[in-house]
Amino acid sequence: LKTLLGVSWAGCALLLACISTGRALYFHIGETEKKCFIEEIPDETMVIGERYRTQLWDKQTGSFLPSTPGLGMHVEIKDPDTKIVLSRQYGSDGRFTFTSHTPGEHQICLHSNSTKMALFAGGKLRVHLDIQVGEHTNNYPEIAAKDKLTELQLRVRQLLDQVDQIQKEQNYQRYREERFRMTSESTNQRVLWWSITQTLILLVTGVWQMRHLKSFFEAKKLV
């Protein structure tokens, strides 16, 4: 790792700790409500919305139903340029997958197909979602069984995937730094030109006032 990345083992460990891992959460949505999340993702990175599941609120029992057949979720994902990466209708449980092609903030939006179900009218829906990013999307036990890898070979494979993800994260941070620097330079340039413009306005105003006062005093024959 040190040879590949030019950083120390301690730096690698720190960066590995900062890399995005799985994010498991749940949230509630209403009948026509849409929920959106912002996820910062490097380019060419796979993202999986895994083990997502919907549960409908049952007013009679005062709890959420274990499953809701027929009630699905529409998933829409936009890249930093607001281009639609994924727009698809899914069932009440399952998973969705997409790969980023542009680094930056991706918007992940979900809403139900509640208009098709009278049962959900005015109700509440709980959505469970587990988002996996980068090498965390890999199913290593399945890979080991498929490629017949030993424990050492599998560990090497995991380390290589982590190195690849570190490089993507570093490239993304450099991209963000470059954008921030360009924004700072642009702002400084505008401030400079605004200061020059103000100075010129003050000079022109001062010259005009002096000429006006001189004309006034001459007209009154005071000078």
Side-chain angles (χ1 to χ4, degrees):
L1 288 175
K2 185 174 181 181
T3 304
L4 289 173
L5 299 177
V7 294
S8 65
W9 281 100
C12 284
L14 179 61
L15 194 52
L16 277 170
C18 295
I19 287 179
S20 300
T21 58
R23 294 172 176 82
L25 55 95
Y26 75 85
F27 54 91
H28 297 154
I29 58 174
E31 182 179 0
T32 59
E33 190 179 1
K34 177 189 285 188
K35 286 282 187 179
C36 293
F37 303 90
I38 300 296
E39 186 78 21
E40 286 193 337
I41 307 171
D43 59 343
E44 303 304 325
T45 300
M46 179 178 286
V47 179
I48 295 179
E50 194 171 43
R51 296 189 298 276
Y52 91 81
R53 179 166 53 93
T54 58
Q55 292 180 289
L56 184 64
W57 175 258
D58 187 1
K59 296 181 180 179
Q60 295 181 351
T61 61
S63 61
F64 288 95
L65 299 174
S67 62
T68 315
L71 182 62
M73 295 295 297
H74 185 272
V75 179
E76 184 178 85
I77 299 168
K78 295 181 180 179
D79 67 7
D81 300 325
T82 67
K83 294 180 181 178
I84 296 177
V85 178
L86 175 68
S87 181
R88 184 177 171 184
Q89 185 77 27
Y90 292 88
S92 59
D93 56 58
R95 55 182 279 174
F96 59 87
T97 305
F98 72 95
T99 301
S100 62
H101 299 292
T102 304
E105 294 182 346
H106 287 65
Q107 188 180 68
I108 303 173
C109 296
L110 301 95
H111 63 88
S112 70
N113 61 346
S114 58
T115 54
K116 300 179 181 179
M117 289 189 64
L119 180 63
F120 189 29
K124 183 171 60 174
L125 188 69
R126 173 181 287 178
V127 182
H128 299 261
L129 182 62
D130 185 3
I131 299 177
Q132 303 287 337
V133 181
E135 83 275 6
H136 301 284
T137 61
N138 295 330
N139 188 337
Y140 288 106
E142 183 178 320
I143 293 174
K146 181 180 178 181
D147 297 339
K148 298 180 180 179
L149 302 177
T150 64
E151 184 177 351
L152 179 60
Q153 289 173 326
L154 181 62
R155 184 56 182 161
V156 170
R157 173 70 178 269
Q158 290 176 321
L159 289 174
L160 289 174
D161 289 341
Q162 289 177 348
V163 167
D164 183 60
Q165 187 64 26
I166 288 174
Q167 290 176 328
K168 289 179 180 178
E169 290 286 341
Q170 287 182 325
N171 291 336
Y172 176 58
Q173 294 303 324
R174 280 194 289 266
Y175 168 77
R176 290 186 60 187
E177 183 182 358
E178 182 180 357
R179 289 189 60 186
F180 179 76
R181 188 184 71 252
M182 291 174 63
T183 302
S184 299
E185 291 176 353
S186 175
T187 303
N188 291 336
Q189 195 80 2
R190 292 178 182 179
V191 170
L192 175 62
W193 281 110
W194 176 243
S195 301
I196 293 174
T197 302
Q198 284 183 315
T199 303
L200 290 175
I201 292 173
L202 288 174
L203 290 174
V204 171
T205 303
V207 171
W208 179 81
Q209 287 179 336
M210 291 178 63
R211 291 176 63 86
H212 180 72
L213 287 173
K214 182 179 180 182
S215 300
F216 175 78
F217 288 141
E218 287 178 347
K220 296 295 183 178
K221 297 181 180 181
L222 298 176
V223 293

